[in-house]
Amino acid sequence: MTIKIKSMLSVKVWGDYACFTNPAFKVERVSYPVMTPSAARGVLEAIFWKPEFIWQVEEIHVLKPIRHFSITRNEVNSLQSDRAARQESYRYFADEDRAQRHTLALRDVAYVIKAQIVLRPHVNADIAKYCEQFRRRVRKGQCHHQPYLGTREFSAFFEEPTPADQPIAHSDDLGWMLLDVVYEQDTKVKTLSYWRHDGNGAHLTTGKAEPKFFHARLINGVLKVSQ
């Protein structure tokens, strides 16, 4: 639960390629036509993140026509884990576990992300300082790590938006889109371990991850996110 102290911020992001994978496709990677809110949050956190707040994406403006392209990549079939790798008997040969998979991705993309900073309940601070830190980092091109557009192979670049950055004249019903993955704490469930931040600091806990979806509609190049 978060308290409603917000401030709208915006950033322009672009790149040569992008792939916002639709989880409805089990084997082949097929991108949503536009950036998902979870991918937008990932870009924002790459630029600026603090445990005192969360990012809440409000709108995504599509600046360039939607263009697809297809590639075939070598991937491994088996899911690897660090727990298995710690075992002395562990052996894995990637060359014996490769498979070619098709990817339908996007090319030449650009977006303006509009989002709110929402302080966590235990935080007693002026939200303006976080907003100014974000704006300053965008102006200087600073980031914690290189942002990417869906997958790490597709790097993203960012800058302050200008009045010339207007959404395209295109509308479409995009159907059900991934909003985000919600991590729910439950000490009885050992599905995964993750770091949780609260008034007592950071601590490792267990729980489960649950995907959340919303009905996405692109109206005149603007995707408004239903929370």
Side-chain angles (χ1 to χ4, degrees):
M1 184 95 182
T2 54
I3 57 177
K4 297 182 178 179
I5 300 179
K6 307 176 181 179
S7 181
M8 184 72 80
L9 298 164
S10 60
V11 61
K12 177 183 177 181
V13 298
W14 74 94
D16 295 331
Y17 309 107
C19 184
F20 310 111
T21 304
N22 188 333
F25 297 88
K26 298 295 185 180
V27 178
E28 310 296 341
R29 296 182 186 272
V30 178
S31 177
Y32 285 108
V34 302
M35 172 183 272
T36 62
S38 59
R41 178 180 56 79
V43 171
L44 295 170
E45 290 182 347
I47 298 171
F48 182 55
W49 178 85
K50 293 283 187 182
E52 294 91 337
F53 66 80
I54 63 171
W55 283 105
Q56 181 173 296
V57 178
E58 300 289 345
E59 295 181 359
I60 298 173
H61 294 203
V62 182
L63 306 183
K64 291 187 175 182
I66 299 171
R67 301 170 58 198
H68 292 87
F69 78 103
S70 61
I71 55 174
T72 301
R73 299 189 297 180
N74 290 326
E75 299 183 7
V76 296
N77 294 311
S78 303
L79 181 65
Q80 305 303 307
S81 70
D82 57 346
R83 182 180 302 176
R86 293 193 195 104
Q87 298 177 8
E88 187 175 348
S89 60
Y90 177 78
R91 297 291 186 275
Y92 178 73
F93 301 98
D95 291 343
E96 299 176 359
D97 194 32
R98 294 193 188 280
Q100 285 195 331
R101 290 191 174 90
H102 176 257
T103 297
L104 183 63
L106 304 171
R107 69 163 70 244
D108 193 21
V109 300
Y111 308 97
V112 168
I113 302 170
K114 294 192 174 185
Q116 309 262 19
I117 284 180
V118 182
L119 296 180
R120 296 186 183 274
H122 66 277
V123 177
N124 183 18
D126 185 359
I127 195 171
K129 72 173 184 178
Y130 299 115
C131 296
E132 184 52 37
Q133 285 182 68
F134 174 77
R135 295 188 183 101
R136 184 168 59 248
R137 291 177 69 84
V138 170
R139 284 196 301 269
K140 294 182 177 181
Q142 295 176 325
C143 54
H144 298 302
H145 59 82
Q146 181 67 41
Y148 53 88
L149 299 169
T151 63
R152 291 188 182 275
E153 301 97 310
F154 301 151
S155 296
F157 308 96
F158 63 93
E159 66 181 6
E160 293 180 297
T162 67
D165 295 320
Q166 297 297 316
I168 61 176
H170 178 70
S171 299
D172 195 6
D173 188 335
L174 305 178
W176 291 102
M177 176 180 282
L178 179 67
L179 174 63
D180 215 329
V181 177
V182 178
Y183 293 90
E184 298 181 354
Q185 185 177 8
D186 189 343
T187 56
K188 297 180 180 179
V189 178
K190 305 297 183 181
T191 305
L192 58 83
S193 299
Y194 65 96
W195 287 97
R196 185 179 182 89
H197 299 269
D198 55 26
N200 297 320
H203 55 93
L204 190 64
T205 186
T206 60
K208 59 183 178 180
E210 182 178 349
K212 301 292 184 181
F213 295 85
F214 74 107
H215 197 142
R217 293 181 176 88
L218 187 68
I219 301 176
N220 293 323
V222 177
L223 174 66
K224 292 192 175 182
V225 181
S226 301
Q227 302 297 332

